[in-house]
Amino acid sequence: MSSESSPEIRTPVDFWFDPLCPWAWITSRWVHEVAALRPIEPRWHVMSLAVLNEDKDIPENYRKMLASAWGAVRVCIAAEQKYGPEVLGALYTELGNRFHHDKLPREKATFAAALEAAGLDPALADAADSEDYDEALRASHKDGIDRVGQEVGTPVIEVEGSAFFGPVVTPIPRGEAAVKLWDGVLAVASTDGFFELKRTRDRAPIFD
């Protein structure tokens, strides 16, 4: 018998995000917390709130806000194309910290700083203004949305064939609370015929 221990098998967790969304950001940090406590392997993918809402009847102020949402997701797709999908987790972290904690503007200087901090070429920030990445962006978005249907937002998560939107939660669950929520979410998401749990949000996103 070999004295070397076998590597732990980690369950893939596919996570579709738009770095613009504060709720998806909280959920992503929860997944990171779970990954430190349970044998899961997050795999990051890009979706787009701008694409999701482009044909919907939404308030004009929200539509104007979404006009600035193309840049970050295009930059993520450009980085994925140059380096591979494995860089998206670090880039998402750097973008999210700047957007949601530092409250920096969603502009090329912020994108470039996030790219550099993630060890990537800051010149990829120029992708923010290029429609060359939109076909790949839409394909990535569609891949996630097709697993759950249209009446959702970001994030979309798939674990072992069970896909769902959310969970939407604040603040970020930590420690035992994180894994308790994880077990509960997987229990309901893997139940055949289960579709929805929901209640009105009574607080804004809380970041720690």
Side-chain angles (χ1 to χ4, degrees):
M1 183 176 180
S2 173
S3 60
E4 297 183 3
S5 59
S6 300
E8 186 175 35
I9 298 175
R10 305 186 74 83
T11 300
V13 174
D14 290 288
F15 189 113
W16 280 262
F17 68 91
D18 184 326
L20 179 74
C21 180
W23 296 102
W25 172 249
I26 290 174
T27 307
S28 73
R29 300 310 96 181
W30 164 67
V31 168
H32 274 291
E33 182 80 4
V34 175
L37 300 167
R38 289 287 177 85
I40 67 169
E41 179 187 358
R43 302 190 302 195
W44 307 96
H45 312 273
V46 185
M47 65 181 294
S48 169
L49 288 171
V51 172
L52 183 69
N53 290 284
E54 61 185 350
D55 296 323
K56 293 183 178 178
D57 183 15
I58 58 176
E60 187 59 30
N61 60 338
Y62 187 51
R63 187 170 298 283
K64 289 180 179 178
M65 184 274 293
L66 289 178
S68 67
W70 290 93
V73 288
R74 285 169 173 166
V75 169
C76 287
I77 291 294
E80 180 180 27
Q81 290 185 351
K82 181 169 183 176
Y83 296 100
E86 61 273 10
V87 305
L88 287 177
L91 180 55
Y92 182 23
T93 292
E94 296 298 339
L95 287 169
N97 281 330
R98 285 163 176 78
F99 292 169
H100 306 300
H101 294 270
D102 301 336
K103 308 301 182 184
L104 296 178
R106 296 186 296 273
E107 61 185 22
K108 282 202 282 188
T110 304
F111 305 154
L115 285 159
E116 188 168 19
L120 309 176
D121 182 2
L124 290 175
D126 290 338
D129 297 326
S130 174
E131 295 181 359
D132 292 346
Y133 301 95
D134 289 2
E135 182 178 355
L137 170 61
R138 290 177 182 276
S140 181
H141 175 88
K142 184 177 185 298
D143 185 25
I145 287 295
D146 281 353
R147 299 167 193 247
V148 289
Q150 292 296 319
E151 299 305 316
V152 299
T154 178
V156 168
I157 299 175
E158 183 174 72
V159 187
E160 296 185 315
S162 295
F164 50 90
F165 157 64
V168 177
V169 62
T170 195
I172 304 164
R174 301 290 187 184
E176 182 58 31
V179 295
K180 181 178 180 181
L181 178 59
W182 179 255
D183 291 341
V185 167
L186 292 193
V188 297
S190 61
T191 298
D192 182 47
F194 177 84
F195 297 110
E196 187 172 3
L197 276 175
K198 192 170 184 177
R199 56 188 173 191
T200 301
R201 302 176 201 176
D202 61 2
R203 70 191 75 172
I206 300 169
F207 311 120
D208 56 19

